[in-house]
Amino acid sequence: MRQGLRIVRVDQDDEPRVAALHRRCSAAARWDRYHRAMGDPDTYLGPLLSRPHSVHLAVQDSRERLVAIGHLLSDGGDAEAALLVEDTWQNKGLGTRLLEELGRFAVVLGVPDVYGVIHPDDARMAAVLQRAGVPLRTVLETSGATTVRARTQDIGLALACSPTRRGWWQRGAGKHLVWGSSARSWAPEAGVQRVLRRSFEDASPIC
């Protein structure tokens, strides 16, 4: 990523900026994210951003405006990953970068499985998943949507072993904070987890 973009952690204190992002997105973009028509974002973003044991990352431009957001939402031991990218910033790799960062959080927190629900017509999300290079299990839901699941150990191996994925996030001195209290008792292979923990110490939030 370029043009002064950075990946930052966001929470309920950032709700006005997250709401502004939602309002700039088209109805089609919001539909792909939520799979239903959504009303005023002020009515649902508060509970989403304050959900316990969840991680919210956003891409911020040089004016500190959020142009994309990704969520890792705790769900009964596993976690759901969800992305929303402003229309004018789509097809620029932002969703891929956010998904990689969310994958690192999933590994460090010891989540066994990460899943996402995608609409069958969402070609952009399908392309993001294809670029991830992680084995996926898919289940067609009765609603027509598809649930896509990945083992976090597979995500960790892909992140730790791919030089192209390592290169961009090891530059610089920025840090992400990881909630130690959110870590689970089970964890993926120890060597992979150590690599990913070091990535949080050295990772640059510069896209």
Side-chain angles (χ1 to χ4, degrees):
M1 292 187 221
R2 305 155 299 279
Q3 302 172 343
L5 300 179
R6 298 176 67 86
I7 294 177
V8 297
R9 289 284 296 271
V10 295
D11 56 25
Q12 57 266 39
D13 292 336
D14 299 287
E15 183 178 338
R17 292 199 297 160
V18 178
L21 163 63
H22 278 66
R23 293 190 178 100
R24 291 194 306 272
C25 289
S26 66
R30 294 195 302 271
W31 179 276
D32 285 339
R33 162 63 181 88
Y34 294 99
H35 304 149
R36 60 182 182 273
M38 302 300 292
D40 186 347
D42 290 337
T43 64
Y44 56 86
L45 286 180
L48 177 67
L49 294 172
S50 60
R51 189 164 170 175
H53 309 303
S54 297
V55 175
H56 313 281
L57 303 176
V59 177
Q60 175 180 281
D61 68 11
S62 59
R63 294 178 290 172
E64 299 190 353
R65 186 177 64 173
L66 304 184
V67 298
I69 191 165
H71 309 277
L72 189 69
L73 304 169
S74 178
D75 182 13
D78 292 331
E80 178 186 5
L83 301 172
L84 177 67
V85 179
E86 187 176 338
D87 295 65
T88 55
W89 286 94
Q90 292 177 5
N91 301 317
K92 299 181 184 296
L94 276 64
T96 299
R97 299 292 198 194
L98 284 173
L99 195 62
E100 289 174 349
E101 287 291 334
L102 293 174
R104 273 188 281 279
F105 271 96
V107 172
V108 172
L109 297 177
V111 177
D113 256 31
V114 176
Y115 74 90
V117 181
I118 66 173
H119 192 273
D121 296 329
D122 190 350
R124 291 189 181 92
M125 193 64 231
V128 169
L129 294 174
Q130 185 176 20
R131 286 192 293 269
V134 177
L136 302 174
R137 310 187 308 275
T138 61
V139 178
L140 182 63
E141 306 293 348
T142 55
S143 63
T146 300
T147 296
V148 179
R149 304 185 70 89
R151 294 193 313 159
T152 306
Q153 182 169 355
D154 291 332
I155 296 171
L157 288 170
L159 290 168
C161 297
S162 171
T164 57
R165 286 190 173 87
R166 279 206 304 265
W168 72 271
W169 53 261
Q170 285 186 338
R171 294 191 296 270
K175 291 186 179 180
H176 290 305
L177 299 178
V178 178
W179 305 332
S181 60
S182 298
R184 309 295 184 183
S185 58
W186 21 254
E189 185 260 325
V192 172
Q193 196 169 28
R194 284 196 297 272
V195 170
L196 271 296
R197 284 189 185 280
R198 286 198 298 272
S199 83
F200 282 104
E201 296 173 1
D202 300 332
S204 169
I206 298 173
C207 299

